[in-house]
Amino acid sequence: SGDLSVFKFSNEENTLQKKLKLSKKTLRGLEFDETGSSLLTISKDKSFRILDTETWAIKNKWVKCHDSSLYSCLSLDTNISVTGDEDGFVKMWDSREDSGTSIMTYKRFDEYVSSFLKIDDNHLLASSGEGTIQSFDLRTRRPDIQSEVYESELNCMATVRSGTKLCVGSGAGSLFLFK
């Protein structure tokens, strides 16, 4: 189901604060923006929503924003977000735009976009189910460099060593380190 349950939790007790029905199909991803004032949600029904975390009202909503089900999302700043789908499309959204269309769309993978990582103000990374990583130049909103294909899907990414190295987790259980 596409329910979002909001809890207040502490060491003593957990209390349900609010329950929202956002979609008829399952929610696949949640991500807070950098300020914590917005919550991004993606669902299997191809919808992308941005909620206000004070009122839990929907600030922005894109229905059928991809041709296939959404798989990952990330807030780049308070206005710009990215989504990835099961078919390898990456789209960028500006919440200030009323057009309902993305401000960037690229198909860079043959399989799903598993995760995103913003490296700095100018670079975004996307990992995929086909076993590759794609970098995007955020200034020009264009793809930059794509990695070689690894033997397993690449599921998650994080920086380590004070942001000097990229660690990528694979479906085979291996961790890859990049400079």
Side-chain angles (χ1 to χ4, degrees):
S1 72
D3 295 340
L4 175 67
S5 299
V6 180
F7 287 88
K8 179 178 182 179
F9 62 93
S10 68
N11 288 335
E12 291 77 38
E13 67 177 335
N14 299 327
T15 310
L16 178 64
Q17 298 291 304
K18 192 148 188 94
K19 190 165 188 170
L20 304 167
K21 178 73 171 173
L22 296 176
S23 172
K24 291 181 180 178
K25 295 192 177 181
T26 58
L27 294 179
R28 285 200 160 170
L30 301 171
E31 184 78 32
F32 285 98
D33 73 354
E34 60 193 15
T35 65
S37 63
S38 296
L39 179 68
L40 285 62
T41 69
I42 55 170
S43 62
K44 193 172 179 181
D45 70 359
K46 307 171 192 171
S47 65
F48 172 46
R49 292 173 179 82
I50 301 175
L51 306 174
D52 182 305
T53 57
E54 286 292 319
T55 64
W56 296 107
I58 296 173
K59 296 193 318 190
N60 299 89
K61 177 178 167 182
W62 293 273
V63 178
K64 292 189 171 45
C65 61
H66 283 250
D67 291 335
S68 64
S69 295
L70 298 174
Y71 204 91
S72 56
C73 66
L74 181 68
S75 172
L76 300 177
D77 62 33
T78 55
N79 297 308
I80 307 293
S81 306
V82 289
T83 55
D85 70 20
E86 290 181 343
D87 289 338
F89 279 90
V90 173
K91 292 189 177 189
M92 185 179 290
W93 307 91
D94 188 337
S95 61
R96 299 166 294 193
E97 295 281 325
D98 289 334
S99 65
T101 59
S102 63
I103 59 172
M104 179 192 89
T105 301
Y106 283 102
K107 178 168 173 56
R108 301 305 297 171
F109 308 110
D110 291 329
E111 291 190 37
Y112 60 93
V113 181
S114 57
S115 69
F116 292 106
L117 180 66
K118 183 178 174 184
I119 296 296
D120 55 36
D121 287 340
N122 299 323
H123 298 94
L124 171 72
L125 297 179
S127 61
S128 73
E130 71 183 27
T132 60
I133 301 167
Q134 174 70 53
S135 70
F136 291 88
D137 186 324
L138 294 175
R139 292 168 298 181
T140 61
R141 296 184 183 151
R142 295 190 173 277
D144 196 9
I145 301 167
Q146 190 169 30
S147 74
E148 62 184 89
V149 178
Y150 288 84
E151 59 195 47
S152 178
E153 67 271 10
L154 301 178
N155 295 320
C156 54
M157 300 180 288
T159 56
V160 294
R161 300 276 181 160
S162 302
T164 60
K165 298 201 184 302
L166 174 68
C167 184
V168 181
S170 75
S174 302
L175 293 175
F176 298 101
L177 283 175
F178 301 91
K179 281 188 176 185

